[in-house]
Amino acid sequence: MDDCIFCKIIKGEIPSEKLYEDELMIIIKDIAPKAKIHFLAIPKKHFKYFSDMTEQDAVMLGRCIKKVGTLAPSLGLEGGFRFVVNQGDDAIQTVPHLHMHLLGGQKLAETDFNK
Ligand code: AMP
Ligand code: ZN
């Protein structure tokens, strides 16, 4: 998507603080952190909703999630983390490229579940 900010970050057209990259996804620091640690795990494939996914995408996203779990301790999230995906207007999804918020580095409140 030409005008998608996350596609531009993935292509290196917009700078980001990148912590991890493989053939399927990048993990970057959120520009406006809502917790002591706030990362975004962004699949390289552009799509907005879970409902847009093909079966192949489901395998790809599963691999990304598994990798997030493997990497979490080395990213400072050894104490645990909250995993949030905002979908659509009611969830206030602001970037139309599916991404996973990883929040942690502190004891989160029960209500800190949006982002
Ligand atoms: P969402 O509201 O779930 O779509 O989340 C979008 C997230 O992207 C927000 O937490 C923003 O702070 C974050 N964000 C927007 N632009 C950038 C950027 N250029 N670099 C890093 N994070 C960004
Ligand atoms: Zn995109």
Side-chain angles (χ1 to χ4, degrees), residues 6-7 10 22-27 40-47 57 60-61 64-65 97-100:
F6 286 172
C7 282
I10 288 160
D22 64 21
E23 72 281 10
L24 300 180
M25 72 166 167
I26 59 170
I27 300 178
L40 301 172
I42 310 173
K44 288 186 172 176
K45 179 167 177 191
H46 179 99
F47 59 94
D57 293 337
M60 176 277 291
L61 195 63
C64 292
I65 292 168
H97 179 133
L98 187 132
H99 53 281
M100 302 162 267

Side-chain angles (χ1 to χ4, degrees), residues 5-6 9 14-17 28-34 38 40 42 84-87 91-97 99 101 114-115:
I5 190 165
F6 286 172
I9 286 174
I14 291 178
S16 67
E17 285 195 68
I28 64 170
K29 287 190 183 178
D30 195 290
I31 204 167
K34 310 296 191 304
H38 186 174
L40 301 172
I42 310 173
V84 175
V85 180
N86 292 315
Q87 294 278 273
I92 320 175
Q93 181 179 6
T94 59
V95 178
H97 179 133
H99 53 281
H101 296 261
N114 58 344
K115 58 178 160 144

